[in-house]
């Protein structure tokens, strides 16, 4: 129960921040007389998406530890797009550009929302790493590659990477280098459980020349 609540709390933080930013931007635009019907409609739709996502998150983690939960067919691109959507106001505020190096649309059988939560965690860590970085354009690069058996989704950033002395520990529960920023160290731990235990895939990390590079490997359905 405690772990479930901790995970929900962890996963609520980003959409909650996104909502907070949207509300502030709305006020700014209102006082600059930039709020027309279209803007208001868009604001409502985006906010409702975030709120619905937060509501789904409760259900996702209620069933997180159930062994017999229902699998469903889902489009991986849609899941990644949705994850980016959930962080969009944060990414804009931090001036981070998300670039798809290519798009391969595959359908997978599995736990759609959990995979989405995993992608959000990796994107969010990239955002954290880029936030403390000065200068240079801040970028997150996403690419897809498939072979006969698996799909590889790589998510890389140019935030400087992870030092060798801690890279073996980042998937441990409660390991965080963000003590001064309320890091819980739960993000990658739950991401690893989702990808490796629930989805029977692999979650890999390495450093590129620019920053950290995470690869989610998921089995394709026969
Ligand atoms: N893209 C990245 N660039 C640099 N370091 C990273 C990156 N992703 C993860 N890390 C390192 O891995 C650690 C563990 O990440 P994890 O998501 O589990 O926890 P956290 O981000 O510290 O805390 P929380 O997820 O609660 O905010 C981070 O503290 C950071 O040191
Ligand atoms: Mg994190």
């Amino acid at each position: 129960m405690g772990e479930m609540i901790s995970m929900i709390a962890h996963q609520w933080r980003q959409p909650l921040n996104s909502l907070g930013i949207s509300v502030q931007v709305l006020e700014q635009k209102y006082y600059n007389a930039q709020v027309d019907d279209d803007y208001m409609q868009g604001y409502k739709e985006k906010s409702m998406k975030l709120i619905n996502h937060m509501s789904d998150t409760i259900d996702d983690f209620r069933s997180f530890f159930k062994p017999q939960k229902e699998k469903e067919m889902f489009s991986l691109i849609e899941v990644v797009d949705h994850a980016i959507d959930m962080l969009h106001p944060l990414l804009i505020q931090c001036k981070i550009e998300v670039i798809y190096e290519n798009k391969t649309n595959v359908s997978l059988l599995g736990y759609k929302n959990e995979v989405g939560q995993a992608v959000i965690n990796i994107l969010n860590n990239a955002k954290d790493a880029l936030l403390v970085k000065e200068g240079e354009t801040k970028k997150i690069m996403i690419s897809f590659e498939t072979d006969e058996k698996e799909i590889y989704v790589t998510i890389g950033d140019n935030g400087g990477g992870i030092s060798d002395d801690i890279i073996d520990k980042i998937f441990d529960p409660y390991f965080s280098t963000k003590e001064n920023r309320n890091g819980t160290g739960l993000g990658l731990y739950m991401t690893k459980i989702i990808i490796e235990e629930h989805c029977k895939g692999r979650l890999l990390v390495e450093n590129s020349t620019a920053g950290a590079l995470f690869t989610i490997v998921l089995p394709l359905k026969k």
Side-chain angles (χ1 to χ4, degrees):
M1 187 74 181
E3 199 164 354
M4 184 181 96
I5 290 169
S6 304
M7 288 184 181
I8 294 171
H10 184 276
Q11 297 312 88
W12 267 29
R13 209 178 263 173
Q14 286 73 48
L16 212 49
N17 284 341
S18 286
L19 269 174
I21 293 168
S22 294
V23 171
Q24 282 164 3
V25 171
L26 177 71
E27 188 199 27
Q28 247 171 39
K29 293 212 180 259
Y30 174 77
Y31 286 119
N32 291 328
Q34 291 171 322
V35 179
D36 57 9
D37 290 357
D38 278 354
Y39 187 86
M40 203 58 221
Q41 198 57 34
Y43 169 80
K44 188 199 126 188
E45 275 163 25
K46 281 183 204 144
S47 302
M48 286 315 296
K49 250 192 192 175
L50 286 163
I51 291 164
N52 288 330
H53 170 80
M54 290 176 72
S55 169
D56 289 343
T57 297
I58 299 175
D59 300 332
D60 296 345
F61 287 95
R62 232 187 230 144
S63 62
F64 192 79
F65 300 103
K66 280 190 196 145
Q68 296 304 339
K69 56 193 167 174
E70 196 93 8
K71 288 184 177 170
E72 58 182 317
M73 287 299 295
F74 66 93
S75 143
L76 190 59
I77 279 282
E78 272 177 29
V79 165
V80 176
D81 276 340
H82 175 74
I84 295 169
D85 239 23
M86 294 302 103
L87 298 176
H88 193 251
L90 295 169
L91 297 170
I92 299 268
Q93 195 192 44
C94 306
K95 299 190 171 63
I96 296 169
E97 196 184 346
V98 179
I99 302 158
Y100 276 111
E101 287 174 335
N102 61 47
K103 279 193 180 187
T104 307
N105 201 5
V106 298
S107 293
L108 297 175
L109 180 70
Y111 307 112
K112 176 184 174 186
N113 293 359
E114 287 192 14
V115 174
Q117 302 284 4
V119 174
I120 287 174
N121 285 337
I122 294 172
L123 290 174
N124 191 53
N125 283 341
K127 181 219 59 182
D128 289 343
L130 290 166
L131 208 99
V132 291
K133 213 179 166 231
E134 305 271 315
E136 250 187 90
T137 335
K138 301 176 168 85
K139 284 183 195 157
I140 298 175
M141 286 77 62
I142 303 174
S143 68
F144 301 84
E145 213 177 293
T146 49
D147 60 24
E148 287 119 68
K149 288 198 221 134
E150 295 167 318
I151 180 149
Y152 296 71
V153 187
T154 58
I155 303 175
D157 61 66
N158 64 341
I162 306 165
S163 64
D164 288 342
D165 52 326
I166 63 153
I167 202 159
D168 293 335
K169 301 193 188 101
I170 60 170
F171 299 108
D172 294 351
Y174 309 110
F175 177 82
S176 176
T177 54
K178 302 169 196 167
E179 289 88 1
N180 52 349
R181 286 188 287 146
N182 295 322
T184 63
L186 277 177
L188 287 177
Y189 167 65
M190 84 172 81
T191 302
K192 188 100 172 163
I193 295 176
I194 291 170
I195 301 303
E196 302 206 336
E197 291 179 26
H198 297 185
C199 302
K200 308 292 175 219
R202 280 170 288 146
L203 177 63
L204 314 169
V205 63
E206 64 194 287
N207 282 307
S208 71
T209 48
L213 189 68
F214 286 85
T215 306
I216 298 172
V217 189
L218 291 170
L220 293 169
K221 192 178 163 271
K222 279 278 145 33

